[in-house]
Coordinates of all heavy atoms in Angstrom, one line a residue:
D1 N 128.4 -67.7 25.9 CA 128.2 -67.8 27.3 C 127.6 -69.1 27.7 O 128.0 -69.8 28.6 CB 127.2 -66.7 27.8 CG 128.0 -65.5 28.3 OD1 129.3 -65.5 28.3 OD2 127.3 -64.5 28.8
T2 N 126.5 -69.5 26.9 CA 125.7 -70.7 27.5 C 126.3 -72.0 27.1 O 126.1 -73.0 27.9 CB 124.3 -70.5 26.8 OG1 123.8 -69.2 26.9 CG2 123.3 -71.5 27.5
F3 N 126.9 -72.2 26.0 CA 127.5 -73.6 25.7 C 128.4 -74.1 26.8 O 128.3 -75.2 27.2 CB 128.2 -73.5 24.3 CG 127.3 -73.2 23.2 CD1 127.8 -72.7 22.0 CD2 125.9 -73.5 23.2 CE1 126.9 -72.5 20.9 CE2 125.1 -73.3 22.1 CZ 125.5 -72.7 21.0
P4 N 129.4 -73.3 27.3 CA 130.2 -73.8 28.3 C 129.5 -74.2 29.6 O 129.8 -75.1 30.3 CB 131.3 -72.7 28.6 CG 131.2 -71.9 27.3 CD 129.8 -71.9 26.8
L5 N 128.4 -73.3 29.9 CA 127.6 -73.6 31.1 C 126.8 -74.9 30.9 O 126.8 -75.7 31.9 CB 126.6 -72.5 31.3 CG 127.2 -71.2 31.7 CD1 126.2 -70.0 31.5 CD2 127.6 -71.2 33.2
W6 N 126.3 -75.1 29.8 CA 125.6 -76.4 29.5 C 126.6 -77.6 29.6 O 126.2 -78.6 30.2 CB 124.9 -76.4 28.1 CG 123.6 -75.6 28.0 CD1 122.9 -75.3 29.1 CD2 123.0 -75.1 26.9 NE1 121.8 -74.5 28.7 CE2 121.9 -74.4 27.3 CE3 123.3 -75.1 25.5 CZ2 121.0 -73.8 26.4 CZ3 122.5 -74.4 24.7 CH2 121.3 -73.8 25.1
Y7 N 127.7 -77.4 29.0 CA 128.8 -78.5 29.1 C 129.0 -78.8 30.6 O 129.1 -79.9 31.0 CB 130.1 -78.1 28.4 CG 131.2 -78.9 28.8 CD1 131.4 -80.2 28.2 CD2 132.1 -78.6 29.8 CE1 132.4 -81.0 28.6 CE2 133.1 -79.4 30.2 CZ 133.3 -80.6 29.6 OH 134.3 -81.5 30.0
A8 N 129.3 -77.7 31.4 CA 129.7 -78.0 32.8 C 128.6 -78.7 33.5 O 128.9 -79.6 34.4 CB 129.9 -76.6 33.4
Q9 N 127.3 -78.4 33.2 CA 126.3 -79.2 33.9 C 126.0 -80.5 33.3 O 125.9 -81.6 34.0 CB 125.0 -78.3 33.8 CG 125.0 -77.0 34.6 CD 123.7 -76.3 34.6 OE1 123.0 -76.2 33.6 NE2 123.2 -75.8 35.8
E10 N 126.0 -80.6 32.0 CA 125.7 -81.9 31.3 C 126.8 -82.9 31.5 O 126.5 -84.1 31.8 CB 125.5 -81.6 29.8 CG 124.3 -80.9 29.4 CD 123.1 -81.8 29.0 OE1 123.3 -83.1 29.2 OE2 122.1 -81.4 28.6
V11 N 128.0 -82.5 31.4 CA 129.1 -83.5 31.3 C 129.8 -83.7 32.6 O 130.0 -84.8 33.1 CB 130.2 -83.1 30.2 CG1 131.3 -84.1 30.2 CG2 129.5 -83.0 28.9
E12 N 130.0 -82.6 33.3 CA 130.8 -82.6 34.6 C 129.9 -82.5 35.8 O 130.5 -82.6 36.9 CB 131.9 -81.5 34.6 CG 132.8 -81.7 33.4 CD 134.2 -81.0 33.6 OE1 134.5 -80.5 34.7 OE2 135.0 -80.9 32.6
G13 N 128.6 -82.3 35.6 CA 127.7 -82.3 36.7 C 128.0 -81.1 37.8 O 127.6 -81.3 38.9
I14 N 128.5 -80.0 37.2 CA 128.7 -78.9 38.1 C 127.5 -78.1 38.4 O 126.8 -77.7 37.4 CB 129.8 -77.9 37.5 CG1 131.1 -78.7 37.3 CG2 130.0 -76.7 38.3 CD1 132.2 -78.0 36.5
R15 N 127.1 -77.9 39.6 CA 126.0 -77.0 40.0 C 124.7 -77.2 39.2 O 124.2 -76.3 38.6 CB 126.4 -75.6 40.0 CG 127.5 -75.2 41.1 CD 126.9 -75.5 42.5 NE 125.7 -74.8 42.7 CZ 125.6 -73.6 43.1 NH1 126.7 -72.8 43.3 NH2 124.4 -73.0 43.3
T16 N 124.2 -78.5 39.1 CA 123.0 -78.8 38.4 C 121.8 -78.2 39.1 O 120.6 -78.4 38.5 CB 122.9 -80.3 38.2 OG1 123.0 -80.9 39.5 CG2 124.0 -80.8 37.3
D17 N 121.9 -77.6 40.2 CA 120.8 -77.0 40.9 C 120.5 -75.6 40.3 O 119.4 -75.0 40.5 CB 121.0 -76.8 42.4 CG 122.2 -75.9 42.7 OD1 123.3 -76.3 42.2 OD2 122.1 -74.8 43.3
V18 N 121.4 -75.0 39.6 CA 121.3 -73.7 38.9 C 120.6 -73.8 37.6 O 120.9 -74.7 36.8 CB 122.6 -73.0 38.8 CG1 122.5 -71.7 38.0 CG2 123.4 -72.8 40.1
R19 N 119.6 -73.0 37.4 CA 118.8 -73.0 36.1 C 119.4 -72.0 35.2 O 119.2 -70.8 35.4 CB 117.3 -72.8 36.3 CG 116.5 -73.2 35.1 CD 116.8 -74.6 34.6 NE 116.0 -74.9 33.4 CZ 114.8 -75.6 33.5 NH1 114.4 -76.0 34.7 NH2 114.1 -75.9 32.5
V20 N 120.0 -72.4 34.1 CA 120.6 -71.4 33.1 C 119.5 -71.1 32.2 O 118.8 -71.9 31.6 CB 121.8 -72.1 32.4 CG1 122.3 -71.1 31.3 CG2 122.9 -72.4 33.3
V21 N 119.2 -69.8 32.0 CA 118.2 -69.3 31.0 C 118.9 -68.4 29.9 O 119.5 -67.4 30.2 CB 117.1 -68.4 31.8 CG1 116.1 -67.9 30.8 CG2 116.4 -69.2 32.8
N22 N 118.8 -69.0 28.7 CA 119.5 -68.4 27.6 C 118.6 -67.3 27.0 O 117.5 -67.5 26.5 CB 119.7 -69.5 26.5 CG 120.4 -69.0 25.3 OD1 120.2 -67.9 24.9 ND2 121.2 -69.9 24.7
L23 N 119.0 -66.0 27.1 CA 118.2 -64.9 26.7 C 117.9 -64.9 25.3 O 116.9 -64.3 24.8 CB 118.9 -63.6 27.2 CG 118.9 -63.4 28.7 CD1 119.7 -62.2 29.0 CD2 117.5 -63.2 29.2
S24 N 118.8 -65.4 24.4 CA 118.6 -65.4 23.0 C 117.4 -66.4 22.7 O 116.6 -66.1 21.8 CB 119.9 -65.9 22.3 OG 120.9 -65.0 22.6
L25 N 117.4 -67.5 23.3 CA 116.4 -68.5 23.0 C 115.0 -68.2 23.7 O 114.0 -68.7 23.3 CB 116.8 -69.9 23.4 CG 118.1 -70.4 22.7 CD1 118.4 -71.8 23.3 CD2 117.9 -70.5 21.2
L26 N 115.1 -67.3 24.7 CA 113.9 -67.0 25.5 C 112.8 -66.3 24.6 O 111.7 -66.1 25.1 CB 114.2 -66.1 26.7 CG 113.2 -66.0 27.8 CD1 112.8 -67.4 28.3 CD2 113.8 -65.2 29.0
N27 N 113.2 -65.9 23.4 CA 112.2 -65.3 22.5 C 111.4 -66.4 21.7 O 110.5 -66.1 20.9 CB 112.9 -64.4 21.4 CG 113.3 -63.1 22.1 OD1 112.5 -62.3 22.6 ND2 114.6 -62.8 22.0
T28 N 111.7 -67.7 22.0 CA 111.0 -68.7 21.2 C 110.1 -69.5 22.2 O 110.4 -69.7 23.3 CB 112.0 -69.7 20.6 OG1 112.7 -70.4 21.7 CG2 112.9 -69.0 19.7
D29 N 108.9 -69.9 21.6 CA 107.9 -70.6 22.5 C 108.4 -72.0 22.9 O 108.2 -72.4 24.1 CB 106.6 -70.8 21.7 CG 106.8 -71.4 20.3 OD1 107.9 -71.8 20.0 OD2 105.8 -71.4 19.6
W30 N 109.2 -72.7 22.1 CA 109.6 -74.1 22.5 C 110.6 -74.0 23.6 O 110.7 -74.9 24.5 CB 110.3 -74.8 21.3 CG 111.4 -74.1 20.6 CD1 111.4 -73.2 19.6 CD2 112.8 -74.2 21.0 NE1 112.6 -72.8 19.3 CE2 113.6 -73.3 20.2 CE3 113.5 -74.9 22.0 CZ2 114.9 -73.2 20.3 CZ3 114.9 -74.7 22.1 CH2 115.5 -73.9 21.2
Y31 N 111.4 -72.9 23.7 CA 112.4 -72.8 24.8 C 111.7 -72.4 26.1 O 112.1 -72.8 27.2 CB 113.5 -71.8 24.5 CG 114.6 -71.7 25.5 CD1 115.5 -72.7 25.7 CD2 114.7 -70.6 26.4 CE1 116.5 -72.7 26.7 CE2 115.7 -70.5 27.3 CZ 116.5 -71.5 27.5 OH 117.5 -71.5 28.4
I32 N 110.6 -71.5 26.0 CA 109.9 -71.2 27.2 C 109.2 -72.5 27.7 O 109.1 -72.7 29.0 CB 108.8 -70.1 26.8 CG1 109.5 -68.9 26.4 CG2 108.0 -69.8 28.1 CD1 108.6 -67.8 25.8
D33 N 108.8 -73.4 26.8 CA 108.2 -74.6 27.3 C 109.3 -75.4 28.1 O 109.0 -76.0 29.1 CB 107.9 -75.5 26.1 CG 106.6 -75.0 25.3 OD1 105.9 -74.2 25.9 OD2 106.4 -75.4 24.2
Q34 N 110.5 -75.4 27.7 CA 111.6 -76.1 28.4 C 111.8 -75.5 29.8 O 112.0 -76.3 30.7 CB 112.9 -76.1 27.5 CG 112.8 -76.9 26.3 CD 114.2 -77.0 25.6 OE1 115.2 -76.5 26.2 NE2 114.3 -77.6 24.5
I35 N 111.9 -74.2 29.9 CA 112.3 -73.6 31.2 C 111.1 -73.8 32.2 O 111.3 -73.7 33.4 CB 112.7 -72.2 31.1 CG1 111.6 -71.3 30.7 CG2 114.0 -72.1 30.2 CD1 111.9 -69.8 30.8
R36 N 109.9 -74.1 31.7 CA 108.8 -74.3 32.6 C 108.8 -75.8 33.1 O 107.9 -76.1 33.9 CB 107.5 -74.0 31.9 CG 107.3 -72.6 31.4 CD 106.0 -72.3 30.7 NE 104.9 -72.5 31.6 CZ 103.7 -73.0 31.2 NH1 103.5 -73.3 30.0 NH2 102.7 -73.0 32.1
R37 N 109.8 -76.5 32.7 CA 109.9 -77.9 33.3 C 111.1 -78.0 34.2 O 112.1 -77.3 34.0 CB 110.1 -78.9 32.1 CG 108.8 -79.0 31.2 CD 108.9 -80.2 30.3 NE 110.0 -80.2 29.4 CZ 109.8 -79.8 28.1 NH1 108.7 -79.3 27.6 NH2 110.9 -79.8 27.3
K38 N 111.0 -78.9 35.1 CA 112.2 -79.2 36.0 C 113.3 -79.8 35.2 O 113.1 -80.6 34.2 CB 111.8 -80.2 37.1 CG 112.9 -80.5 38.1 CD 112.3 -81.5 39.1 CE 113.4 -81.9 40.1 NZ 113.9 -80.8 40.9
A39 N 114.6 -79.5 35.5 CA 115.7 -80.0 34.8 C 116.9 -80.3 35.8 O 117.2 -79.4 36.6 CB 116.3 -79.0 33.7
Y40 N 117.4 -81.5 35.8 CA 118.4 -81.9 36.7 C 117.9 -81.7 38.2 O 116.8 -82.1 38.5 CB 119.7 -81.2 36.5 CG 120.3 -81.3 35.1 CD1 120.5 -80.2 34.3 CD2 120.6 -82.6 34.6 CE1 121.0 -80.4 33.0 CE2 121.1 -82.8 33.3 CZ 121.3 -81.6 32.6 OH 121.8 -81.8 31.3
D41 N 118.6 -80.9 38.9 CA 118.3 -80.6 40.3 C 117.6 -79.2 40.5 O 117.5 -78.7 41.6 CB 119.5 -80.7 41.2 CG 120.1 -82.1 41.2 OD1 119.4 -83.0 41.3 OD2 121.3 -82.2 41.0
S42 N 117.3 -78.5 39.3 CA 116.7 -77.2 39.4 C 115.2 -77.3 39.2 O 114.7 -78.1 38.3 CB 117.3 -76.3 38.4 OG 117.0 -76.6 37.1
D43 N 114.4 -76.5 39.9 CA 113.0 -76.5 39.7 C 112.6 -75.7 38.4 O 113.4 -75.0 37.9 CB 112.3 -75.7 40.9 CG 112.5 -76.6 42.2 OD1 112.6 -77.8 42.1 OD2 112.6 -75.9 43.2
A44 N 111.3 -75.9 38.0 CA 110.9 -75.2 36.8 C 110.9 -73.7 37.1 O 110.8 -73.2 38.3 CB 109.4 -75.6 36.5
V45 N 111.1 -72.9 36.0 CA 111.1 -71.4 36.2 C 109.7 -70.9 36.3 O 108.8 -71.4 35.5 CB 111.8 -70.8 35.0 CG1 111.7 -69.3 34.9 CG2 113.3 -71.2 34.9
P46 N 109.3 -70.1 37.2 CA 107.9 -69.7 37.4 C 107.5 -68.7 36.3 O 107.9 -67.6 36.3 CB 108.0 -69.0 38.8 CG 109.4 -68.5 38.9 CD 110.2 -69.5 38.2
I47 N 106.6 -69.2 35.4 CA 106.1 -68.4 34.3 C 104.6 -68.5 34.4 O 104.0 -69.7 34.4 CB 106.6 -68.8 32.9 CG1 108.1 -68.7 32.8 CG2 105.9 -68.1 31.8 CD1 108.6 -67.3 32.8
S48 N 103.8 -67.4 34.4 CA 102.4 -67.5 34.5 C 101.7 -67.6 33.1 O 100.5 -68.0 33.1 CB 101.8 -66.3 35.2 OG 102.1 -65.1 34.5

């Protein structure tokens, strides 16, 4: 699911305002660090 979405945003610049959250990686601390940061045109994901 996620690889084509990342390609569409990274390479073709499609809807870079949407923040894709990979549920498989969301179990890891380093990925949670990433989604707490702004990326492209999407704001950081709100995590307390």
Side-chain angles (χ1 to χ4, degrees):
D1 264 1
T2 312
F3 293 157
L5 291 164
W6 283 339
Y7 164 82
Q9 291 185 318
E10 288 269 4
V11 179
E12 303 202 6
I14 298 171
R15 292 300 305 276
T16 52
D17 62 301
V18 176
R19 190 55 176 264
V20 175
V21 178
N22 181 324
L23 291 173
S24 303
L25 299 180
L26 196 55
N27 285 302
T28 64
D29 51 7
W30 59 266
Y31 184 70
I32 299 171
D33 289 343
Q34 287 188 6
I35 66 171
R36 295 180 68 210
R37 298 195 293 265
K38 182 180 175 65
Y40 304 119
D41 300 313
S42 69
D43 294 329
V45 173
I47 298 292
S48 67

